[in-house]
Amino acid sequence: MLTIAKRTEGDILVLDLNGKIDGGPEARAIQDEVKEALGEGTGKVLINMQGVPWINSLGVGILIAAFVSAKRSNAQLKMYGATSRVEAVLNTIGVI
């Protein structure tokens, strides 16, 4: 099960993710949170991936959709803290 905790650091919205990103309803909430923040005028979103031990291709698709939403809104969306396993998936799919 994926949980998302929101916090603000200055003018940056940080989404702390904890759990697997598998493309299910909890994972889709990532994009919902990003869209909500963008709608409120947030220009910078940081996704903390330190608590994500596993991701599949559907989960990667959700992250890509969040990035596209940010780009269309002229906002910045970045992520950090991916484990080596998650980073390997992102690299294999060609995201990084």
Side-chain angles (χ1 to χ4, degrees):
M1 183 171 131
L2 178 71
T3 59
I4 304 170
K6 297 189 295 187
R7 60 188 166 93
T8 304
E9 297 285 334
D11 64 343
I12 302 170
L13 172 66
V14 181
L15 300 177
D16 295 308
L17 307 184
N18 191 10
K20 296 178 180 181
I21 304 177
D22 61 4
E26 292 104 3
R28 288 188 191 103
I30 297 168
Q31 188 178 9
D32 295 340
E33 292 288 351
V34 169
K35 283 184 174 182
E36 180 181 327
L38 297 172
E40 294 172 354
T42 301
K44 297 177 183 176
V45 178
L46 184 62
I47 298 176
N48 176 2
M49 302 282 289
Q50 290 177 322
V52 178
W54 184 88
I55 189 170
N56 67 8
S57 59
L58 292 173
V60 173
I62 287 170
L63 292 176
I64 290 170
F67 278 96
V68 169
S69 295
K71 186 174 182 177
R72 286 183 181 155
S73 296
N74 294 319
Q76 294 179 345
L77 190 146
K78 297 184 179 185
M79 66 180 178
Y80 77 96
T83 64
S84 59
R85 184 175 186 171
V86 169
E87 191 173 314
V89 172
L90 297 173
N91 190 29
T92 299
I93 294 175
V95 175
I96 60 171

